[in-house]
PDB file of all heavy atoms in Angstrom:
ATOM      1  N   PRO A 105     -21.407   6.469   3.778  1.00  0.00           N
ATOM      2  CA  PRO A 105     -21.686   5.758   5.004  1.00  0.00           C
ATOM      3  C   PRO A 105     -20.824   4.439   4.981  1.00  0.00           C
ATOM      4  O   PRO A 105     -20.769   3.805   4.071  1.00  0.00           O
ATOM      5  CB  PRO A 105     -23.154   5.401   4.940  1.00  0.00           C
ATOM      6  CG  PRO A 105     -23.742   6.463   4.086  1.00  0.00           C
ATOM      7  CD  PRO A 105     -22.742   6.877   2.980  1.00  0.00           C
ATOM      8  N   MET A 106     -20.243   4.296   6.114  1.00  0.00           N
ATOM      9  CA  MET A 106     -19.395   3.037   6.396  1.00  0.00           C
ATOM     10  C   MET A 106     -18.069   3.031   5.543  1.00  0.00           C
ATOM     11  O   MET A 106     -17.514   1.929   5.386  1.00  0.00           O
ATOM     12  CB  MET A 106     -20.193   1.792   6.168  1.00  0.00           C
ATOM     13  CG  MET A 106     -21.428   1.664   6.975  1.00  0.00           C
ATOM     14  SD  MET A 106     -21.031   1.444   8.769  1.00  0.00           S
ATOM     15  CE  MET A 106     -20.321  -0.175   8.760  1.00  0.00           C
ATOM     16  N   ALA A 107     -17.600   4.114   5.069  1.00  0.00           N
ATOM     17  CA  ALA A 107     -16.427   4.143   4.267  1.00  0.00           C
ATOM     18  C   ALA A 107     -15.175   3.755   5.075  1.00  0.00           C
ATOM     19  O   ALA A 107     -14.420   2.813   4.672  1.00  0.00           O
ATOM     20  CB  ALA A 107     -16.056   5.554   3.738  1.00  0.00           C
ATOM     21  N   ALA A 108     -15.045   4.378   6.264  1.00  0.00           N
ATOM     22  CA  ALA A 108     -13.900   3.983   7.109  1.00  0.00           C
ATOM     23  C   ALA A 108     -13.972   2.531   7.601  1.00  0.00           C
ATOM     24  O   ALA A 108     -12.954   1.775   7.540  1.00  0.00           O
ATOM     25  CB  ALA A 108     -13.740   4.907   8.358  1.00  0.00           C
ATOM     26  N   PRO A 109     -15.120   2.056   8.186  1.00  0.00           N
ATOM     27  CA  PRO A 109     -15.140   0.593   8.528  1.00  0.00           C
ATOM     28  C   PRO A 109     -14.906  -0.283   7.360  1.00  0.00           C
ATOM     29  O   PRO A 109     -14.201  -1.361   7.481  1.00  0.00           O
ATOM     30  CB  PRO A 109     -16.532   0.444   9.123  1.00  0.00           C
ATOM     31  CG  PRO A 109     -17.027   1.720   9.532  1.00  0.00           C
ATOM     32  CD  PRO A 109     -16.280   2.752   8.571  1.00  0.00           C
ATOM     33  N   THR A 110     -15.352   0.032   6.222  1.00  0.00           N
ATOM     34  CA  THR A 110     -15.132  -0.763   4.949  1.00  0.00           C
ATOM     35  C   THR A 110     -13.708  -0.841   4.684  1.00  0.00           C
ATOM     36  O   THR A 110     -13.087  -1.843   4.405  1.00  0.00           O
ATOM     37  CB  THR A 110     -15.963  -0.330   3.780  1.00  0.00           C
ATOM     38  OG1 THR A 110     -17.369  -0.298   4.152  1.00  0.00           O
ATOM     39  CG2 THR A 110     -15.699  -1.090   2.511  1.00  0.00           C
ATOM     40  N   GLY A 111     -12.960   0.447   4.680  1.00  0.00           N
ATOM     41  CA  GLY A 111     -11.577   0.503   4.411  1.00  0.00           C
ATOM     42  C   GLY A 111     -10.807  -0.283   5.435  1.00  0.00           C
ATOM     43  O   GLY A 111      -9.836  -0.955   5.095  1.00  0.00           O
ATOM     44  N   GLY A 112     -11.112  -0.236   6.695  1.00  0.00           N
ATOM     45  CA  GLY A 112     -10.481  -0.948   7.724  1.00  0.00           C
ATOM     46  C   GLY A 112     -10.619  -2.382   7.500  1.00  0.00           C
ATOM     47  O   GLY A 112      -9.588  -3.203   7.665  1.00  0.00           O
ATOM     48  N   LEU A 113     -11.816  -2.909   7.137  1.00  0.00           N
ATOM     49  CA  LEU A 113     -12.056  -4.328   6.931  1.00  0.00           C
ATOM     50  C   LEU A 113     -11.208  -4.796   5.690  1.00  0.00           C
ATOM     51  O   LEU A 113     -10.628  -5.928   5.743  1.00  0.00           O
ATOM     52  CB  LEU A 113     -13.517  -4.607   6.670  1.00  0.00           C
ATOM     53  CG  LEU A 113     -13.885  -6.044   6.499  1.00  0.00           C
ATOM     54  CD1 LEU A 113     -13.465  -6.974   7.748  1.00  0.00           C
ATOM     55  CD2 LEU A 113     -15.390  -6.186   6.241  1.00  0.00           C
ATOM     56  N   LEU A 114     -11.151  -4.033   4.646  1.00  0.00           N
ATOM     57  CA  LEU A 114     -10.314  -4.309   3.490  1.00  0.00           C
ATOM     58  C   LEU A 114      -8.892  -4.357   3.816  1.00  0.00           C
ATOM     59  O   LEU A 114      -8.106  -5.248   3.260  1.00  0.00           O
ATOM     60  CB  LEU A 114     -10.612  -3.318   2.371  1.00  0.00           C
ATOM     61  CG  LEU A 114     -11.975  -3.450   1.561  1.00  0.00           C
ATOM     62  CD1 LEU A 114     -12.161  -2.220   0.609  1.00  0.00           C
ATOM     63  CD2 LEU A 114     -12.053  -4.797   0.904  1.00  0.00           C
ATOM     64  N   THR A 115      -8.456  -3.477   4.700  1.00  0.00           N
ATOM     65  CA  THR A 115      -7.066  -3.472   5.039  1.00  0.00           C
ATOM     66  C   THR A 115      -6.644  -4.718   5.906  1.00  0.00           C
ATOM     67  O   THR A 115      -5.635  -5.312   5.647  1.00  0.00           O
ATOM     68  CB  THR A 115      -6.720  -2.166   5.831  1.00  0.00           C
ATOM     69  OG1 THR A 115      -7.046  -1.066   5.054  1.00  0.00           O
ATOM     70  CG2 THR A 115      -5.216  -2.112   6.212  1.00  0.00           C
ATOM     71  N   ILE A 116      -7.457  -5.044   6.832  1.00  0.00           N
ATOM     72  CA  ILE A 116      -7.312  -6.334   7.504  1.00  0.00           C
ATOM     73  C   ILE A 116      -7.258  -7.520   6.643  1.00  0.00           C
ATOM     74  O   ILE A 116      -6.432  -8.399   6.680  1.00  0.00           O
ATOM     75  CB  ILE A 116      -8.388  -6.410   8.658  1.00  0.00           C
ATOM     76  CG1 ILE A 116      -8.295  -5.394   9.718  1.00  0.00           C
ATOM     77  CG2 ILE A 116      -8.335  -7.863   9.301  1.00  0.00           C
ATOM     78  CD1 ILE A 116      -9.435  -5.224  10.594  1.00  0.00           C
ATOM     79  N   THR A 117      -8.218  -7.489   5.715  1.00  0.00           N
ATOM     80  CA  THR A 117      -8.274  -8.659   4.645  1.00  0.00           C
ATOM     81  C   THR A 117      -7.088  -8.633   3.876  1.00  0.00           C
ATOM     82  O   THR A 117      -6.452  -9.674   3.528  1.00  0.00           O
ATOM     83  CB  THR A 117      -9.619  -8.462   3.866  1.00  0.00           C
ATOM     84  OG1 THR A 117     -10.688  -8.443   4.694  1.00  0.00           O
ATOM     85  CG2 THR A 117      -9.599  -9.592   2.856  1.00  0.00           C
TER      86      THR A 117
END
Side-chain angles (χ1 to χ4, degrees):
M106 300 296 290
T110 301
L113 183 60
L114 287 173
T115 304
I116 293 166
T117 304

